[in-house]
Amino acid sequence: MKAYLLYEAGGTDKLTLGEVPVPALKNGEVLVKVKAIGINPADTIYRNSDAFITHIFGEKRPVIMGWDISGEIVEKAENTDGFEIGDAVFALLQNAGGYAEFVAVNVELLAHKPENIKFEEAAAVPMAGLTAWQPLIHGMNIKKGDRILIHGASGGVGHYAVQIAKYLGAEVIATSSGKNRDFVKSLGADQHIDYQTENFWEAIEEVDFVFDTIGGETLERSIDITKPGGTIISILALTKEEMMARAEEKNVNLRLWGLQFNGKDLRAFADVLVRGIIKPHIATIYPFTSIAEAHQQVETRRTAGKIVITV
């Protein structure tokens, strides 16, 4: 099968299209013929860092990257009840391997693709969708009428966070660039703040929750506008002890949230997709041969929604 092989970290030229054997199935796995692949900022970060590659794959080289896939089951091993050959599925792959024509997936990570969305839309969900879903659903006790500030609301993670927060009944205040205002409002945001022309900490009163995808000064300023007893969850590493101390002093719960590879959460997300409550937004679809261009687009950090590859 064809797959993109990474022999060493570096630029997009390091992604080499080659031939490798189709994966052999282990107990509990199905073989998925890949139809579409989601590209995330994490993909570009890992591609650029030998330390990250080694952390994930060990010393093995070459490696096959790719965490978000959708496709069709073409083979199954033992203990794969609930999934059959021919089923349309999508997954967040714990051990990567998605930049390929076929991938072996443990059914614990798998969800059926809703019939009302395309393979490309399904591939746009797993990493970004769960990065928003898990902290908002499991990390925040959001009640109807609570006010939440979502930073980076037009991005892959942010555009899901806005929709999830509205689904939970929150009043959503969202930050993005002015050019994405209409897009963010179309997701359900009640108020939009252009971070390029406005200071959010001056534009709004205290909120109950903050979902942070930016970090740095944005995260620090968010402490100032969070109510005592409120919660801030950041998906970026918190490195400043004084930031945590400031939050504690104000009685604000400041937490770092790491993505969990969890098929149960993906299946719960699939349920809201089936009901049309949340809709993936795809900015651009690239062919399999243009994966380098897809990475380059993601690296601009200016994409509204998601970038997807068709196979």
Side-chain angles (χ1 to χ4, degrees):
M1 69 174 184
K2 289 184 173 60
Y4 276 95
L5 308 176
L6 189 68
Y7 290 86
E8 60 179 343
T12 56
D13 60 309
K14 301 298 183 182
L15 292 167
T16 304
L17 189 59
E19 290 281 344
V20 295
V22 173
L25 294 182
K26 300 175 183 176
N27 187 45
E29 291 184 337
V30 297
L31 185 68
V32 176
K33 179 176 175 57
V34 178
K35 299 283 190 180
I37 304 163
I39 307 295
N40 300 284
D43 296 42
T44 67
I45 293 168
Y46 295 151
R47 189 205 71 230
N48 267 308
S49 170
D50 189 65
F52 277 133
I53 296 170
T54 300
H55 176 72
I56 297 169
F57 299 100
E59 298 300 324
K60 171 190 172 183
R61 298 293 186 275
V63 300
I64 301 174
M65 295 178 57
W67 286 264
D68 288 359
I69 62 98
S70 65
E72 184 178 301
I73 296 175
V74 293
E75 186 181 336
K76 56 180 288 186
E78 297 295 322
N79 296 314
T80 53
D81 294 346
F83 294 93
E84 302 297 336
I85 293 173
D87 285 357
V89 294
F90 65 127
L92 175 62
L93 306 174
Q94 188 161 11
N95 298 315
Y99 290 1
E101 291 180 307
F102 296 90
V103 63
V105 186
N106 189 293
V107 293
E108 293 297 323
L109 302 174
L110 207 58
H112 286 99
K113 180 186 76 67
E115 293 184 359
N116 60 321
I117 68 171
K118 301 176 181 178
F119 283 105
E120 292 85 354
E121 293 172 306
V125 168
M127 183 174 285
L130 293 190
T131 298
W133 179 267
Q134 291 172 346
L136 267 69
I137 297 294
H138 304 308
M140 298 179 180
N141 183 27
I142 297 175
K143 303 180 297 297
K144 185 175 182 179
D146 284 342
R147 301 174 78 232
I148 182 171
L149 173 62
I150 296 175
H151 291 301
S154 64
V157 174
H159 94 286
Y160 286 124
V162 171
Q163 296 178 79
I164 294 166
K166 289 302 296 181
Y167 163 61
L168 295 172
E171 177 187 339
V172 176
I173 305 161
T175 68
S176 77
S177 64
K179 71 176 183 178
N180 289 321
R181 178 186 183 278
D182 290 344
F183 169 56
V184 170
K185 294 284 283 185
S186 75
L187 299 171
D190 299 285
Q191 181 179 348
H192 176 267
I193 297 174
D194 180 354
Y195 74 88
Q196 295 175 322
T197 62
E198 300 177 80
N199 294 325
F200 70 86
W201 58 92
E202 297 174 343
I204 59 175
E205 298 177 353
E206 287 185 323
V207 297
D208 301 286
F209 300 98
V210 177
F211 181 66
D212 171 57
T213 68
I214 307 297
E217 183 184 7
T218 295
L219 180 53
E220 291 188 49
R221 292 284 192 176
S222 294
I223 298 171
D224 299 331
I225 54 89
T226 303
K227 292 179 181 178
T231 297
I232 301 172
I233 292 184
S234 179
I235 61 170
L236 301 175
L238 305 175
T239 57
K240 295 184 178 181
E241 291 184 7
E242 60 267 28
M243 191 185 302
M244 299 297 292
R246 281 182 59 203
E248 185 175 353
E249 183 179 345
K250 193 182 175 184
N251 190 28
V252 169
N253 180 24
L254 174 57
R255 300 170 60 190
L256 170 66
W257 194 281
L259 175 66
Q260 300 166 25
F261 292 82
N262 186 323
K264 182 178 179 181
D265 281 338
L266 189 61
R267 291 187 284 275
F269 202 110
D271 181 61
V272 295
L273 290 169
V274 166
R275 292 184 280 158
I277 294 169
I278 296 173
K279 297 180 180 179
H281 177 80
I282 299 176
T284 310
I285 298 175
Y286 292 88
F288 192 55
T289 52
S290 297
I291 204 164
E293 288 88 338
H295 269 239
Q296 290 161 9
Q297 174 57 39
V298 170
E299 285 180 310
T300 68
R301 301 295 188 263
R302 292 292 182 268
T303 303
K306 292 283 297 175
I307 297 296
V308 172
I309 299 287
T310 54
V311 182

